[in-house]
Amino acid sequence: MKISYNWLKQYIRPLPSPEETSKILTSIGLEVESIEERESVKGGLKGVLVAEVLSCIKHPNADKLSVTTVNFGKGEPVQIVCGAPNVRAGQKVAVATVGTTLYSGDESFTINKSKIRGEVSEGMICAEDELGLGKDHDGIMVLDSQAVPGTPASEYFKIESDFILEIGLTPNRIDAASHYGVARDLAAYLKQTSKAELLKPDVSGFATDNKSLTIPVEVSRPEACIRYSGLTLSGIKVKPSPDWLKNRLLSIGLKPINNVVDITNFVLHETGQPLHAFDAEKITGKKILVKTLPEGTPFTTLDESERKLSQDDLMICNTNEGMCIAGVFGGLESGVNEKTTSIFLESACFNPVFVRKTSKRHMLNTDSSFRFERGSDPNITLFALKRAALLIKEFAGGSISSEVVDIYPAPVQSFEIELNFKHVNRLIGKEIPREKVTGILKSLEIEITEENEETLKLKVPPYRVDVQREADVIEEILRIYGYNNIEIGESLHGALSFIQKPDREKIVNMVSDLLSNNGFLEIMSNSLTRSSYYENESGEDKELVRISNPLSNDLNVMRKNLLFGALESLAYNINRKNPDLRLYEFGNTYLLTGKVSENPHDKYFEESHLALLISGEKYEANWNSPSASGNFFQIKSFAELILKRLGFSIDAIGTMTTSGDFFAEGIDYTLNQKVLLSVGKLKNDLCRRFEIKQDVFYADFNWDRVMKEIKKHKTIFTGLPKYPEVKRDLSMVLEKTVSYDQIRQAAYKAERKLLRNINLFDVYEGDKIAEGKKSYAISFTLRDDEKTLTDQQIEKVMKNIQGMIERETGAHIRS
């Protein structure tokens, strides 16, 4: 949210410097994210002076140029070559002196002393567009004859310099979504140390001029429209706004439209109360109806888009049709234009739930809906209405031609809270003087209705929608008192807590450290994603958890996996010349189970996963080694490293090949017939959907299942082996269809006690063996923890292993 420092000065005196104001606002919870200097004309016309043309003669070497001398009021006259056809002696003009920088949009140029067709030129007599004061370039800008030479152009044209404070407004602080709201908070702080004065705009001069245009209002949905206020103005003249009003709006990034519309926007950003002006001539039946319309009713909004209304969209209507989506967006036909001579001015308070649902339903986010969605102040509607009416009378003429209509069937009451001084001191951690507490409360416009030794009874105004409990009030006291004024205590209070084993958070941190130490980067993807990602995946309609009011079509479902978020991150980095990546993410996935149950939570399933992704080069090429690309075995080794670090035995985990919806080739790791982990190379067509042209390798841990198995697993300490290991190798020829895992399982089936490890160290396929065959060379590690193995025992074990492999796989063992 943008706040103009100059605008803020209208409501609080004295106001500290922009830098000091920024620090104070940040300390009281209105964080200032940036401060930017702004001038109503870019560059502030620095170096441009008012000058008088003393002489003007034709250029001796150019037909369309003139040689002039100009006087700045002091010093010697200066010669300037000018190409404007309207330059004359005796004129008062604006001259950019040597060294001045002028701006045209994003471009700039500096005035230098130069020779033009042989004549010296020390400056430039400027046209309107060259100064940034308009678009006219037909000739130089001729000033008033009373202008004083030497006067800075910034002073003559009243160029305004301002500072724009960008405030990161949190959703709970809608009371500060205006200049007066920020000033109110700032004054509460300043009043603790100085005599700051909060100045509220004066509307005491408001009065009805006549009753020539009375438009009655009928509210048929009071639950959606908390309060509705309005009046009419007649005989107005719609025209451009005065410069001061244009500058106010431009300073916060709004485009001026006309005096009436600009005043409604000005009052919105001044008070936080949205307003809307209807052309009274377009109110058919001369009656306002606040109601809903039938489902599917077409309505064309100000952006010329036709929208189909919901039966729950609150509308401002005339007797025939809708004119405005209440609290969200105006209609195309009922707005104010240059032909408008009378208006109906609306100031209302709408139910935040209705406005938010309508706003999201139609994908309309406006300054008005932003405030109504978070809860506007129902008690400010009349003040804002009178303020706008007086400004319109002043700058558009006309008269107030009706009494104020004010429909407020159920007035919103202040929040009643009891505050205990002991609780204040306990939660803040410091005893704050009673007088200080009451002073802060009064500065925050919190009314003290009853007071005794221990407690205060308070009434919090409705515009503070975030202050409804005692703890909220204490937070307000601390916010204004100053967090930095609370000393750090010398004692530390704590409590013993029981942590269930295994400690999930500790294990996650351990695995994160392991991956980070191996060159992986952690990512955090949005849990909301786009449904189009799952178009080619089976069961999409039944399993996707869809958002009923999505922010956009790109965020319309909950993610079913972590894959697409990782691919988005990879594509983002590739597009920025960073293609070599190792990424990991811990996160939840969401599914719709389809269960029929009275408990709505039973219809959804949430599960934790860990995703790993590798793509690009393992390492860059250098003078003594070539580069190497990541591959399946690289990500497989990292996945198994995690399992080993968690205490799993890889030999005890079953594996089977998989492809599924994502993998071109891959492996599932299973334990107790449940998949713990899937590893593989992603399909190329899947990667191409993200414009990724390099190979991508991915691993997905079902983290909930991993944690369940860890709970069952007991870590048992065993001493270092006392007796030596023995290694024996076997070379075999077998069918290509036989996997290494089949051989491993056959070997363990033959010998479980003495066989410690199996390792495939060579694979051969070629013309030296029969077609359809392959050759494996495998080493077997044997060890007995109770004694040294004898040759006879070793031969017996190897014979059993050899026989089992031959029977189970059909392999031929070569001697």
Side-chain angles (χ1 to χ4, degrees):
M1 181 183 72
K2 295 181 185 296
I3 293 293
S4 161
Y5 179 78
N6 285 350
W7 195 345
L8 199 61
K9 284 195 293 188
Q10 305 301 310
Y11 313 113
I12 185 168
R13 294 177 188 166
L15 183 64
S17 67
E19 293 76 14
E20 184 62 25
T21 298
S22 169
K23 291 178 182 178
I24 294 172
L25 289 174
T26 299
S27 73
I28 60 177
L30 301 177
E31 182 182 0
V32 177
E33 297 174 341
S34 65
I35 304 178
E36 179 184 351
E37 187 174 5
R38 179 192 178 277
E39 291 156 321
S40 54
V41 173
K42 191 171 183 179
L45 299 185
K46 294 181 179 69
V48 181
L49 301 174
V50 173
E52 180 181 8
V53 181
L54 299 178
S55 65
C56 177
I57 61 173
K58 184 179 178 182
H59 194 295
N61 302 316
D63 293 337
K64 295 184 179 181
L65 297 179
S66 300
V67 179
T68 68
T69 56
V70 299
N71 170 40
F72 293 111
K74 58 182 179 179
E76 295 295 324
V78 172
Q79 179 172 296
I80 297 176
V81 176
C82 180
N86 65 329
V87 63
R88 301 285 187 274
Q91 292 173 335
K92 301 292 178 64
V93 294
V95 174
T97 57
V98 173
T100 299
T101 300
L102 297 178
Y103 297 86
S104 177
D106 294 331
E107 297 179 357
S108 64
F109 61 96
T110 301
I111 304 300
N112 298 310
K113 182 178 179 180
S114 61
K115 276 191 175 183
I116 301 177
R117 295 289 184 94
E119 295 293 329
V120 174
S121 183
E122 298 183 78
M124 184 173 79
I125 304 176
C126 299
E128 186 179 284
D129 65 330
E130 292 165 336
L131 294 173
L133 297 172
K135 298 181 180 179
D136 186 9
H137 193 70
D138 292 337
I140 61 168
M141 191 175 191
V142 180
L143 308 182
D144 187 270
S145 60
Q146 301 301 313
V148 179
T151 302
S154 59
E155 183 180 322
Y156 179 83
F157 291 108
K158 297 180 181 178
I159 303 303
E160 187 175 283
S161 179
D162 196 1
F163 290 89
I164 306 304
L165 282 62
E166 184 76 38
I167 294 180
L169 193 68
T170 53
N172 63 311
R173 291 305 311 277
I174 194 62
D175 62 290
S178 65
H179 284 75
Y180 184 77
V182 172
R184 182 171 51 202
D185 239 31
L186 194 57
Y189 178 88
L190 293 174
K191 284 179 181 178
Q192 309 310 310
T193 56
S194 63
K195 293 183 179 179
E197 183 181 6
L198 181 63
L199 305 172
K200 193 171 185 177
D202 182 22
V203 296
S204 61
F206 175 86
T208 299
D209 297 311
N210 57 67
K211 300 179 183 178
S212 62
L213 182 59
T214 298
I215 297 180
V217 176
E218 181 182 311
V219 178
S220 60
R221 295 293 299 270
E223 74 280 13
C225 181
I226 299 168
R227 187 175 190 177
Y228 194 92
S229 309
L231 55 78
T232 64
L233 291 101
S234 301
I236 65 170
K237 185 176 181 180
V238 178
K239 57 186 179 181
S241 297
D243 289 341
W244 72 265
L245 180 53
K246 289 180 180 179
N247 285 336
R248 287 284 182 264
L249 298 180
L250 288 169
S251 70
I252 58 173
L254 295 182
K255 180 182 178 182
I257 299 172
N258 60 53
N259 51 358
V260 174
V261 174
D262 291 350
I263 286 169
T264 62
N265 285 330
F266 173 81
V267 174
L268 163 63
H269 289 276
E270 177 183 57
T271 66
Q273 172 61 37
L275 304 172
H276 192 76
F278 299 93
D279 189 328
E281 293 299 317
K282 298 176 183 177
I283 302 176
T284 306
K286 292 296 180 282
K287 186 176 183 179
I288 296 286
L289 303 173
V290 184
K291 63 179 184 177
T292 53
L293 295 175
E295 184 76 31
T297 301
F299 179 71
T300 304
T301 47
L302 279 170
D303 59 358
E304 300 184 4
S305 297
E306 183 177 282
R307 304 175 191 277
K308 300 296 183 182
L309 299 176
S310 163
Q311 62 182 3
D312 295 322
D313 291 335
L314 188 67
M315 298 292 294
I316 311 301
C317 309
N318 56 39
T319 55
N320 285 353
E321 60 188 356
M323 298 188 297
C324 174
I325 302 177
V328 180
F329 210 27
L332 182 63
E333 299 300 327
S334 62
V336 173
N337 57 46
E338 64 277 0
K339 297 179 181 179
T340 300
T341 59
S342 58
I343 62 170
F344 179 86
L345 189 61
E346 168 196 282
S347 179
C349 177
F350 299 111
N351 188 314
V353 175
F354 275 78
V355 175
R356 181 168 179 78
K357 286 183 177 180
T358 296
S359 172
K360 300 309 174 190
R361 191 180 294 123
H362 297 290
M363 301 293 178
L364 288 170
N365 297 306
T366 62
D367 284 338
S368 176
S369 67
F370 175 83
R371 285 157 178 81
F372 282 129
E373 285 176 17
R374 289 158 177 79
S376 65
D377 181 7
N379 295 330
I380 202 176
T381 59
L382 290 183
F383 173 82
L385 186 67
K386 292 176 181 178
R387 171 71 165 154
L390 290 172
L391 287 171
I392 291 172
K393 274 189 66 177
E394 182 178 354
F395 297 106
S399 60
I400 298 172
S401 52
S402 74
E403 295 285 358
V404 173
V405 176
D406 187 25
I407 301 175
Y408 196 12
V412 177
Q413 302 299 318
S414 297
F415 307 114
E416 295 186 358
I417 300 172
E418 183 172 278
L419 179 69
N420 190 301
F421 286 105
K422 289 183 179 179
H423 296 169
V424 173
N425 297 332
R426 177 175 60 83
L427 289 179
I428 291 179
K430 177 181 179 178
E431 185 170 344
I432 299 177
R434 185 188 187 98
E435 298 76 19
K436 192 75 171 176
V437 171
T438 56
I440 290 173
L441 292 173
K442 289 175 183 177
S443 69
L444 289 168
E445 299 183 357
I446 296 176
E447 182 184 354
I448 300 173
T449 59
E450 190 177 322
E451 183 175 356
N452 58 46
E453 287 298 319
E454 295 184 353
T455 63
L456 296 174
K457 287 189 177 179
L458 310 173
K459 281 189 176 181
V460 180
Y463 68 78
R464 288 309 306 270
V465 293
D466 62 323
V467 182
Q468 301 184 22
R469 306 171 302 161
E470 182 186 40
D472 298 331
V473 176
I474 295 172
E475 182 182 3
E476 290 298 293
I477 294 168
L478 176 57
R479 186 171 65 84
I480 300 302
Y481 180 76
Y483 296 101
N484 293 333
N485 293 327
I486 307 300
E487 299 83 2
I488 299 175
E490 295 180 354
S491 60
L492 179 65
H493 301 279
L496 294 175
S497 59
F498 170 75
I499 299 176
Q500 191 173 7
K501 301 293 183 179
D503 186 338
R504 188 185 186 101
E505 184 177 351
K506 185 176 180 180
I507 291 174
V508 167
N509 289 335
M510 178 185 71
V511 172
S512 296
D513 288 343
L514 174 67
L515 291 169
S516 297
N517 291 339
N518 280 278
F520 281 80
L521 301 172
E522 185 173 11
I523 61 173
M524 295 179 69
S525 304
N526 198 334
S527 296
L528 299 176
T529 186
R530 60 179 70 180
S531 57
S532 59
Y533 284 156
Y534 301 93
E535 287 177 354
N536 297 327
E537 188 181 349
S538 58
E540 56 157 339
D541 292 331
K542 295 180 181 179
E543 293 185 340
L544 285 180
V545 179
R546 298 184 180 274
I547 306 301
S548 58
N549 58 336
L551 296 173
S552 71
N553 289 330
D554 290 342
L555 302 170
N556 60 350
V557 297
M558 303 289 282
R559 63 185 178 191
K560 281 178 61 177
N561 55 58
L562 305 182
L563 171 62
F564 296 124
L567 288 175
E568 285 177 343
S569 296
L570 176 61
Y572 182 89
N573 279 273
I574 290 174
N575 291 337
R576 286 154 182 80
K577 308 300 182 184
N578 185 29
D580 306 325
L581 288 175
R582 300 178 187 180
L583 306 175
Y584 74 95
E585 178 178 12
F586 285 95
N588 292 340
T589 61
Y590 311 88
L591 295 174
L592 193 64
T593 62
K595 289 182 181 179
V596 179
S597 172
E598 294 182 0
N599 186 350
H601 297 292
D602 291 342
K603 295 190 295 184
Y604 303 97
F605 180 67
E606 182 176 346
E607 196 170 53
S608 294
H609 283 252
L610 165 62
L612 310 184
L613 183 144
I614 291 177
S615 188
E617 304 292 338
K618 281 187 190 178
Y619 45 80
E620 295 181 358
N622 56 46
W623 67 273
N624 66 351
S625 62
S627 63
S629 298
N631 55 44
F632 169 78
F633 296 102
Q634 182 188 16
I635 197 164
K636 177 176 177 287
S637 67
F638 283 121
E640 291 185 353
L641 178 64
I642 292 171
L643 293 175
K644 291 176 183 176
R645 184 65 184 86
L646 296 175
F648 291 98
S649 170
I650 302 300
D651 293 333
I653 297 177
T655 59
M656 57 185 293
T657 57
T658 185
S659 58
D661 295 301
F662 307 128
F663 292 126
E665 52 188 3
I667 294 176
D668 283 342
Y669 288 72
T670 61
L671 189 62
N672 299 326
Q673 299 182 338
K674 292 184 178 180
V675 177
L676 289 182
L677 161 67
S678 298
V679 183
K681 177 182 179 292
L682 294 179
K683 294 178 179 178
N684 290 334
D685 58 350
L686 172 62
C687 296
R688 281 195 292 270
R689 290 171 61 186
F690 293 84
E691 299 183 357
I692 299 172
K693 299 177 182 179
Q694 59 195 47
D695 289 342
V696 181
F697 303 92
Y698 182 75
D700 177 54
F701 287 81
N702 187 317
W703 197 249
D704 284 343
R705 288 180 189 165
V706 169
M707 293 303 300
K708 286 179 182 178
E709 294 300 331
I710 290 176
K711 288 182 180 179
K712 300 175 186 177
H713 177 73
K714 289 185 178 180
T715 302
I716 301 174
F717 173 78
T718 56
L720 294 173
K722 297 180 181 179
Y723 302 98
E725 294 178 342
V726 176
K727 286 189 177 181
R728 292 291 186 268
D729 298 338
L730 290 179
S731 178
M732 60 193 75
V733 177
L734 61 163
E735 298 289 338
K736 285 186 177 181
T737 56
V738 177
S739 67
Y740 167 68
D741 188 60
Q742 289 176 269
I743 295 172
R744 190 175 65 86
Q745 291 181 18
Y748 278 115
K749 187 175 180 181
E751 178 58 55
R752 284 208 169 271
K753 181 181 178 182
L754 301 181
L755 183 58
R756 302 295 178 178
N757 189 37
I758 305 172
N759 181 46
L760 175 65
F761 64 87
D762 187 56
V763 178
Y764 174 76
E765 295 180 19
D767 55 5
K768 295 183 179 179
I769 56 176
E771 187 176 350
K773 302 284 187 179
K774 60 183 176 182
S775 172
Y776 277 0
I778 303 174
S779 68
F780 300 84
T781 302
L782 308 175
R783 190 183 72 243
D784 191 332
D785 290 335
E786 298 177 355
K787 60 182 182 295
T788 301
L789 290 171
T790 63
D791 288 341
Q792 292 82 359
Q793 288 175 305
I794 295 168
E795 290 301 323
K796 182 180 178 181
V797 169
M798 290 305 300
K799 194 171 183 180
N800 289 340
I801 291 173
Q802 179 177 332
M804 184 63 71
I805 291 174
E806 289 176 333
R807 288 193 297 274
E808 294 285 327
T809 67
H812 171 67
I813 309 297
R814 298 192 294 186
S815 56

